[in-house]
Amino acid sequence: MKTGNPILFSLLILAIFAALLPCSAGGVKGDPKRGVKLFSAMTCDICHLNGGNMQNPDRPIKGAGFQKRYPDDVSLGQLIRKGISDKGMPAFGRDRMSDQDLADVIAYVRSMTPAAAAAKKKTK
Ligand code: HEC
């Protein structure tokens, strides 16, 4: 079979990339199964085992109050990237954690809040 017009062919390839682009440009999609592994690999679990907070029990990373403080993944991602240095929460910059890793960890963190608590403060 002939490949046909090479210009049309490259346009087709471009169109496929254009169709895929919004998924990556609009933020990486997180995978909670990868996230759970990263959560321990990145040492989060040392301080936040099962979504708790060993150093500041008033700041668990699950539950309705938590979801309310961080209603969207952007705000949550910024917090994890910057950390809270004076309170003992380390910063996880791009040198330590890729955007994909961050999205996966966030997906796992969100999954620790039971659906009932999340539904009270439903954002998406
Ligand atoms: C050395 C201990 C430690 C490690 C490791 C750690 N954290 Fe924290 N984290 C804290 C402390 C302490 C706070 C509470 C800071 C405060 O009092 O405001 C916190 C706060 C947070 C919060 C905000 C909670 C809130 O309600 O404001 C999130 C989300 C969070 N951590 C996620 C993570 C993730 C994800 C990781 C791993 C990538 C991680 N933490 C690693 C100690 C840690």
Side-chain angles (χ1 to χ4, degrees), residues 43-44 47-48 53 55-56 59 61 69-70 87 89:
T43 71
C44 317
C47 302
H48 297 292
N53 193 326
Q55 292 182 31
N56 184 353
R59 289 289 174 127
I61 59 168
R69 276 197 294 284
Y70 304 95
K87 298 270 175 63
M89 165 66 193

Side-chain angles (χ1 to χ4, degrees), residues 68-112:
K68 208 170 168 176
R69 276 197 294 284
Y70 304 95
D72 57 79
D73 291 353
V74 174
S75 58
L76 186 50
Q78 279 167 351
L79 175 274
I80 297 169
R81 283 268 184 247
K82 279 173 68 184
I84 312 170
S85 57
D86 54 337
K87 298 270 175 63
M89 165 66 193
F92 292 85
R94 286 205 170 74
D95 52 327
R96 300 175 73 179
M97 196 188 242
S98 72
D99 284 344
Q100 181 65 61
D101 290 352
L102 179 65
D104 294 344
V105 165
I106 288 176
Y108 170 64
V109 168
R110 293 287 189 208
S111 77
M112 283 191 283

Side-chain angles (χ1 to χ4, degrees), residues 3-20:
T3 9
N5 189 330
I7 294 174
L8 273 181
F9 183 72
S10 17
L11 277 178
L12 179 70
I13 299 292
L14 271 178
I16 291 170
F17 274 108
L20 291 173

